[in-house]
Amino acid sequence: MTRLLEQIAYVRSGDKGDNVSIGVLARRPEDYAAVLRSVTPERVRTLFGDWARGDVQVYPMPNIDGCLVLMEHALGGGATRTLRFDQTAKSLGYAVLRLEVDEG
């Protein structure tokens, strides 16, 4: 049975200009390894396709059982320039929760 990341993690996100930061935090310490396996630059880039036009980086944060996802040039130019309906990082953060959990 396939699990989605939303079942083992939650997110907080923010944006600055055209860049997105998403914190992905395991709900339980024992799910941290699955979060790291599931949230990789490759998987995030595949999820967002052409929306992620710059670098995608994922930084482990073991002290809080989470990771930080940074996406450059991912908001269509930023809130004041984009033609996208939802121009902030909040919706992109929640979209990460649709990733399938890599059960390892």
Side-chain angles (χ1 to χ4, degrees), residues 2-51:
T2 302
R3 289 194 304 162
L4 298 179
L5 196 61
E6 69 182 353
Q7 295 173 281
I8 65 166
Y10 61 96
V11 295
R12 298 289 296 172
S13 57
D15 50 76
K16 188 70 169 177
D18 198 17
N19 300 319
V20 174
S21 62
I22 303 168
V24 183
L25 301 143
R27 293 183 184 273
R28 302 175 312 159
E30 53 268 27
D31 291 326
Y32 176 57
V35 167
L36 290 183
R37 287 191 306 270
S38 304
V39 183
T40 66
E42 298 78 21
R43 293 180 93 200
V44 170
R45 183 170 294 288
T46 298
L47 176 66
F48 291 112
D50 291 342
W51 279 31

Side-chain angles (χ1 to χ4, degrees), residues 17-20 50-53 72-84 86-88 92:
D18 198 17
N19 300 319
V20 174
D50 291 342
W51 279 31
R53 295 181 180 254
E72 297 177 358
H73 309 293
L75 290 173
T80 60
R81 297 186 60 202
T82 188
L83 297 177
R84 293 181 188 168
D86 187 353
Q87 71 275 14
T88 64
L92 300 183

Side-chain angles (χ1 to χ4, degrees), residues 51-72:
W51 279 31
R53 295 181 180 254
D55 286 342
V56 176
Q57 301 162 10
V58 177
Y59 297 97
M61 300 178 77
N63 58 323
I64 58 171
D65 297 323
C67 62
L68 175 64
V69 178
L70 295 177
M71 296 191 302
E72 297 177 358

